[in-house]
Amino acid sequence: MEEKKTKRLSEIEEKEECIIVKVNGHGGFRHRVMEMGFIRGEKVSVVKNAPLQDPIEYKIMNSHVSLRRSEANHIEVIGIKEHLEQNKYKFNGTFSEEIKQTIANESKIISVALVGNPNCGKTSFFNHATGLHEKVGNYSGVTVSSKIGSFFHKGYKIDLVDLPGTYSITEYSPEELFVREYITENHPDVVLNVVDSSNLERNLFLTTQLIDMNIRMVMALNMYDELIASNSQLDANLLEQLLGFPCVPTTARTGEGITHVLDHIISVYEDTEEVTKHIHINYGKNLESAIDKIKPLLTQHKEIAVDFPFRYVALKLLENDSVTYKHLEKHISDTLLIRETAEKCRMEIEEEFGEDAASVITNAKYGFIRGALKETFHRNNDKKAELSYAIDIVLTNKWLGFPILFLFLWIMFETTFTLGAFPQEWIENGIALLGEFVKNILPAGMISDMIIDGIIAGVGGVLVFLPNILILFFFISLLEDTGYMARAAFIMDKLMHKMGLHGKSFIPLLTGFGCGVPAVMATRTLENPKDRIITMMAIPFMSCSARLPIYLLFVSAFFESNQGLILMGIYLIGIAFAVLTSLLLKKVKFPTDSDQFVMELPPYRIPTCKNTLIHMWDKSAQYLKKMGTVILFASIIIWCLNYFPTTNDEIQSIDQQIEMVQNQSYDNEEIKEELLSSLELKRAAAQSENSYLGRIGHIIEPVVKPLGFDWRMGVSILTGAAAKEIIVSSMGILYHSDIEANEESEKLIQTLQHHKDESGKNSMTPLIAFSFMIFVLLYFPCVAMITAIAKEASWKWAGFCVIYTTCVAWIMSFCIYQIGSLL
């Protein structure tokens, strides 16, 4: 977004003047300050601050008005003095014309918050409206943080913020609090409430909470095509009359109706929307009486209404909402009378109804929703929906559910290998040709070596696995977009509960197959902090896509038969250790039970080609970006560490031997060539072993030697801390440096198959390869994921993750190699 030219009214210094651009906030506060003259284009003078710097006296329309800083903070202005200084060389007309133009420009920026239930098509709407490519999934918890996209519509710049999907805005989950705090602290100009038209009763519960907040709203009746296909009828015009704001039918996945929604957003922002009116949901005699008792105590403190309407605060106090009490304490020094009154009213309600006040309010909200839908909505038997859920008879069957799930996973891994092999071979050949081309046009020397052996060998070694990554993400996208991901969580819930995990943990864990960072962030969908931490500690064992190139390299080199089964076996071993870790933490650290499993099972939907391609491209773009930044940089660093120092006593001795052979005449030239080739190979090995990287490798070799690894493999493991793909780049650089000059373009796979150690034996065997893959599977994740764990939990848990996973990896690889060697 462009940098704003406006300031807050509270930031204007004494004796200075400014022009009002926009009044933020909602409901009573906004109307009150506008009635006092704080309207767009009006000039305001700052008279003075109170002795304690709050409130502030302003002069507007020849009247003197006092505002608290918290209130003035919600009024956007342009400082006249500052505006003159910034534009003294830009005026083409009069000052008034210039400032009017600036006000017009700044007031034509509309901030819109996108709010709705999970799986209502909110992010699809965001993608179509903004042209951005955010991930779209058919299960709860895809959007775990806000995303912003800016675009222009009818002369207005619209900043659209995609907030996390949530069923409510209470205090029970991070998403709920995040959405609520964003609305109350950032004061978007308009809230766009996206609802699933095929499931209005459930979706409108969130709408009633937004109505209580008295904010300017527009509703997108999304998935309207499904409602029509079910032969149901909805009177959208009557519904918007009952709710008090525009309700526009949309189909976000195709873009239908989005333009009309944007038109209504502009008219609501301009206060020209005829439909807009604020309604009060009638909660019944008892609740309304309680609200009337609490509200007068709140109206004595006008500053509360800056963020919340008094009626909304009264309702939240009846619900015993702890966040609301904290908000009151921030503004009011003595809240005892308010607390006592709210507690008394709450007890009377609970005694009258025989249940807690929050449940009574919820029931009243659903009563309002059913009443509104009775007048506006007629549902017919939806045969399509019945057919959709009928599929679950097979897919979530007690006996068939697990085999079908594992069959799908096997198909995913097998296809990743077989289908991905064709483009992989094309890319390999292209990289080989590029290496030869660069070798022919550049003179021999350090620069040529760095480009060919460092950049092309390092980055190219990772690039060849891009098709496999794309195929993997295609299948994960299908799981998400069709709705089967939620079924997988349903199938796994009981099993995962026995493992010490929550059923919902399955989604972050499965997301971990793609990337660990969003998987860690996706744990926010778990309400219980203990469940979140257990899941976070299990995610590192879910093999992310960054590890896939390493498995593909070694499986292709040493396990030519049953490649799909070997790959799936590695993934299953990771899953097993995720389970063992969760059980261990559950027993030792968190022995209490998890929260109950509550999750929506959305109807099956046919994924659109556009969404699937967007999902694949986004992931591949991230992969390519990483190759162009982290992996490229790391490849150059690794090559430099492996290249320098360029000489030592051993290398000088070998150079002398090479010179002697070259100067000596032989009867058989083939013998001479063999000797020179052998000495060149010996020199390359000495160079690599005595380089800075070789010295580091020899320091850590005693630690990795019991696992069957040589120093090159040890160094490769260390470089994987930045990004796991770099392991392939490192091996490409380290092992290619040991092959003969006329074989420099040889595939890394063949190099690993034929590489010899100092004794002349193969340094890599199927047993060592398997031991290495298991170590890579289990040892600490990349820096980005460690940082994500620290952010979502703490640095203590991040540190535990590094130490624990590395110890597990070493022990497992040690057992595999040592026991395998004996057998």
Side-chain angles (χ1 to χ4, degrees):
M1 289 189 301
E2 295 176 7
E3 186 178 349
K4 277 193 171 185
K5 298 177 182 178
T6 59
K7 299 177 71 173
R8 303 294 181 182
L9 180 57
S10 58
E11 297 171 351
I12 303 298
E13 301 292 332
E14 284 188 19
K15 310 302 180 186
E16 290 188 9
E17 296 180 326
C18 57
I19 305 292
I20 296 174
V21 173
K22 185 190 293 186
V23 179
N24 295 317
H26 303 283
F29 161 74
R30 187 168 183 272
H31 290 295
R32 179 167 62 87
V33 295
M34 290 180 73
E35 287 166 358
M36 293 166 67
F38 290 87
I39 58 174
R40 187 169 67 201
E42 196 64 38
K43 185 166 74 171
V44 183
S45 302
V46 183
V47 181
K48 63 178 179 293
N49 290 296
L52 296 177
Q53 302 300 306
D54 200 14
I56 306 169
E57 182 183 343
Y58 298 100
K59 183 180 178 181
I60 185 168
M61 292 185 177
N62 293 319
S63 298
H64 288 252
V65 179
S66 172
L67 291 180
R68 287 189 173 90
R69 285 187 177 273
S70 59
E71 297 172 326
N73 195 46
H74 292 292
I75 301 174
E76 291 185 33
V77 299
I78 294 176
I80 294 177
K81 180 182 176 182
E82 185 179 13
H83 183 79
L84 281 169
E85 291 175 352
Q86 290 178 352
N87 297 279
K88 59 184 176 181
Y89 301 115
K90 298 179 183 177
F91 291 151
N92 297 316
T94 64
F95 167 73
S96 60
E97 289 173 347
E98 291 291 336
I99 202 162
K100 281 180 183 177
Q101 185 61 46
T102 303
I103 292 170
N105 292 339
E106 291 297 319
S107 63
K108 282 189 173 289
I109 301 173
I110 308 175
S111 61
V112 180
L114 204 54
V115 179
N117 285 191
N119 198 45
C120 69
K122 190 167 49 64
T123 306
S124 292
F125 187 102
F126 179 87
N127 288 342
H128 261 283
T130 62
L132 298 180
H133 297 157
E134 290 302 333
K135 176 182 172 186
V136 179
N138 189 17
Y139 66 97
S140 171
V142 173
T143 310
V144 290
S145 60
S146 64
K147 305 175 186 72
I148 188 164
S150 298
F151 59 97
F152 290 89
H153 183 72
K154 291 191 174 179
Y156 281 87
K157 178 171 179 273
I158 298 177
D159 294 331
L160 190 60
V161 182
D162 184 18
L163 296 173
T166 178
Y167 296 106
S168 171
I169 44 173
T170 53
E171 57 174 349
Y172 301 117
S173 75
E175 283 80 13
E176 293 175 355
L177 275 178
F178 184 91
V179 173
R180 181 163 134 191
E181 288 174 0
Y182 182 88
I183 293 171
T184 56
E185 293 176 9
N186 292 276
H187 292 281
D189 297 313
V190 180
V191 168
L192 176 56
N193 181 206
V194 182
V195 300
D196 179 357
S197 299
S198 62
N199 197 355
L200 282 172
E201 186 172 343
R202 210 275 320 285
N203 278 243
L204 288 176
F205 180 77
L206 175 60
T207 306
T208 61
Q209 295 180 317
L210 297 172
I211 290 171
D212 288 336
M213 295 179 79
N214 194 9
I215 53 184
R216 293 189 285 178
M217 272 208 295
V218 174
M219 176 182 285
L221 294 163
N222 198 30
M223 302 180 185
Y224 207 75
D225 57 332
E226 294 185 11
L227 183 141
I228 294 171
S230 68
N231 295 318
S232 299
Q233 288 92 36
L234 174 67
D235 189 339
N237 293 329
L238 180 56
L239 182 65
E240 64 184 13
Q241 293 294 331
L242 293 174
L243 297 180
F245 48 79
C247 300
V248 187
T250 62
T251 305
R253 65 188 181 87
T254 62
E256 187 177 347
I258 289 177
T259 301
H260 296 303
V261 171
L262 300 178
D263 291 342
H264 281 287
I265 286 172
I266 291 172
S267 60
V268 167
Y269 174 73
E270 292 178 335
D271 292 320
T272 59
E273 180 64 57
E274 295 179 1
V275 177
T276 300
K277 63 181 179 181
H278 177 59
I279 65 165
H280 279 173
I281 296 171
N282 191 319
Y283 288 101
K285 181 181 176 181
N286 298 80
L287 284 170
E288 291 294 336
S289 174
I291 292 169
D292 291 339
K293 290 176 184 177
I294 300 170
K295 194 174 174 182
L297 302 177
L298 300 172
T299 54
Q300 301 172 24
H301 307 278
K302 301 291 184 185
E303 63 272 21
I304 296 172
V306 175
D307 295 325
F308 302 99
F310 296 124
R311 180 179 172 83
Y312 173 79
V313 175
L315 278 165
K316 284 297 168 185
L317 293 178
L318 287 173
E319 291 177 348
N320 200 24
D321 186 274
S322 61
V323 177
T324 304
Y325 276 113
K326 289 177 183 176
H327 178 76
L328 285 182
E329 290 167 357
K330 189 171 68 175
H331 292 290
I332 306 172
S333 56
D334 186 8
T335 61
L336 182 61
L337 181 59
I338 296 173
R339 282 178 176 273
E340 289 178 345
T341 305
E343 180 65 26
K344 183 181 177 182
C345 291
R346 187 164 55 249
M347 290 177 67
E348 289 175 355
I349 290 167
E350 290 175 353
E351 186 177 344
E352 175 71 22
F353 289 91
E355 58 183 336
D356 63 276
S359 298
V360 176
I361 293 171
T362 298
N363 292 334
K365 286 181 183 294
Y366 275 112
F368 168 80
I369 293 166
R370 292 186 188 107
L373 292 179
K374 189 174 183 181
E375 293 187 43
T376 60
F377 182 64
H378 175 70
R379 182 186 295 279
N380 283 333
N381 290 329
D382 187 355
K383 293 181 179 179
K384 185 179 178 182
E386 290 176 6
L387 179 64
S388 173
Y389 284 107
I391 300 172
D392 282 338
I393 296 173
V394 176
L395 295 185
T396 60
N397 181 271
K398 180 180 179 181
W399 304 107
L400 298 176
F402 281 105
I404 290 172
L405 175 61
F406 287 116
L407 175 64
F408 188 89
L409 293 176
W410 178 81
I411 292 171
M412 179 170 70
F413 294 127
E414 187 66 28
T415 308
T416 297
F417 252 115
T418 54
L419 196 61
F422 300 104
Q424 184 179 349
E425 187 176 351
W426 303 334
I427 295 172
E428 283 178 346
N429 294 333
I431 291 169
L433 290 172
L434 178 62
E436 286 296 321
F437 174 74
V438 173
K439 183 179 178 181
N440 292 330
I441 63 171
L442 288 180
M446 187 180 75
I447 299 298
S448 174
D449 291 344
M450 183 182 72
I451 293 173
I452 296 169
D453 297 332
I455 297 174
I456 295 176
V459 177
V462 180
L463 181 63
V464 295
F465 299 109
L466 178 61
N468 307 91
I469 301 293
L470 283 170
I471 293 169
L472 178 67
F473 279 116
F474 171 78
F475 278 97
I476 291 177
S477 179
L478 286 180
L479 280 173
E480 295 169 351
D481 296 346
T482 57
Y484 185 68
M485 183 79 89
R487 270 71 181 183
F490 172 77
I491 293 167
M492 297 293 292
D493 175 60
K494 187 172 182 180
L495 181 62
M496 297 193 79
H497 190 71
K498 291 182 180 296
M499 297 171 182
L501 287 164
H502 194 281
K504 282 187 182 178
S505 298
F506 183 74
I507 290 171
L509 290 173
L510 197 57
T511 305
F513 285 139
C515 179
V517 175
V520 169
M521 294 177 69
T523 59
R524 295 180 190 177
T525 57
L526 299 165
E527 289 80 5
N528 191 326
K530 295 177 181 178
D531 289 330
R532 285 202 292 273
I533 289 173
I534 292 173
T535 307
M536 274 184 231
M537 294 302 105
I539 287 171
F541 296 112
M542 309 306 289
S543 195
C544 66
S545 61
R547 291 180 168 99
L548 184 58
I550 305 154
Y551 307 149
L552 295 175
L553 174 68
F554 282 94
V555 171
S556 300
F558 298 99
F559 303 96
E560 292 183 9
S561 58
N562 300 318
Q563 293 180 339
L565 286 174
I566 293 291
L567 185 62
M568 187 175 177
I570 292 168
Y571 277 76
L572 289 175
I573 290 170
I575 293 169
F577 274 93
V579 171
L580 291 172
T581 299
S582 61
L583 284 172
L584 182 65
L585 286 171
K586 191 73 174 176
K587 188 172 183 179
V588 176
K589 184 69 178 176
F590 306 115
T592 56
D593 285 339
S594 300
D595 286 348
Q596 297 302 310
F597 178 77
V598 180
M599 184 174 187
E600 178 189 5
L601 293 178
Y604 289 102
R605 292 190 172 96
I606 299 173
T608 63
C609 182
K610 181 179 179 181
N611 281 344
T612 303
L613 292 176
I614 283 172
H615 192 180
M616 288 174 63
W617 169 247
D618 285 348
K619 295 302 177 184
S620 61
Q622 292 175 22
Y623 191 73
L624 290 169
K625 184 179 179 181
K626 193 185 286 188
M627 282 189 288
T629 53
V630 177
I631 296 172
L632 175 62
F633 179 74
S635 295
I636 294 171
I637 296 297
I638 293 165
W639 180 86
C640 289
L641 289 173
N642 189 54
Y643 190 83
F644 296 103
T646 57
T647 185
N648 55 52
D649 292 341
E650 186 179 359
I651 291 174
Q652 288 177 356
S653 174
I654 296 171
D655 285 340
Q656 289 173 3
Q657 294 177 45
I658 290 171
E659 188 177 357
M660 287 176 59
V661 172
Q662 287 175 337
N663 294 331
Q664 192 172 349
S665 59
Y666 286 81
D667 295 334
N668 191 334
E669 283 297 319
E670 289 184 5
I671 296 174
K672 182 177 181 179
E673 287 299 324
E674 286 179 8
L675 283 171
L676 285 173
S677 179
S678 175
L679 288 170
E680 289 287 352
L681 181 60
K682 188 177 179 182
R683 187 191 188 285
Q687 161 65 35
S688 183
E689 193 161 346
N690 289 285
S691 66
Y692 295 125
L693 204 58
R695 294 171 190 178
I696 295 169
H698 284 296
I699 291 171
I700 65 170
E701 192 170 28
V703 178
V704 298
K705 194 70 175 176
L707 316 181
F709 309 160
D710 62 13
W711 65 268
R712 297 169 190 81
M713 299 169 76
V715 168
S716 300
I717 287 168
L718 284 182
T719 61
K724 291 296 175 280
E725 301 98 326
I726 295 175
I727 292 176
V728 177
S729 302
S730 302
M731 300 190 89
I733 293 166
L734 291 169
Y735 283 96
H736 273 89
S737 64
D738 286 356
I739 62 177
E740 296 181 53
N742 61 356
E743 296 175 335
E744 283 179 350
S745 61
E746 188 179 27
K747 293 178 184 177
L748 180 56
I749 290 174
Q750 294 171 345
T751 305
L752 293 175
Q753 290 172 335
H754 301 107
H755 191 271
K756 308 292 183 184
D757 59 18
E758 292 79 2
S759 63
K761 296 180 181 178
N762 284 343
S763 61
M764 192 79 69
T765 64
L767 177 62
I768 295 172
F770 189 72
S771 174
F772 187 76
M773 286 190 289
I774 295 302
F775 191 93
V776 170
L777 164 72
L778 301 176
Y779 90 118
F780 62 83
C782 66
V783 172
M785 185 175 170
I786 292 297
T787 305
I789 292 173
K791 184 179 177 182
E792 296 297 321
S794 67
W795 280 107
K796 180 184 76 173
W797 281 110
F800 169 79
C801 178
V802 171
I803 296 169
Y804 171 71
T805 53
T806 306
C807 290
V808 168
W810 194 93
I811 292 168
M812 272 301 296
S813 289
F814 177 83
C815 293
I816 288 168
Y817 178 69
Q818 295 298 333
I819 295 172
S821 298
L822 291 174
L823 295 176

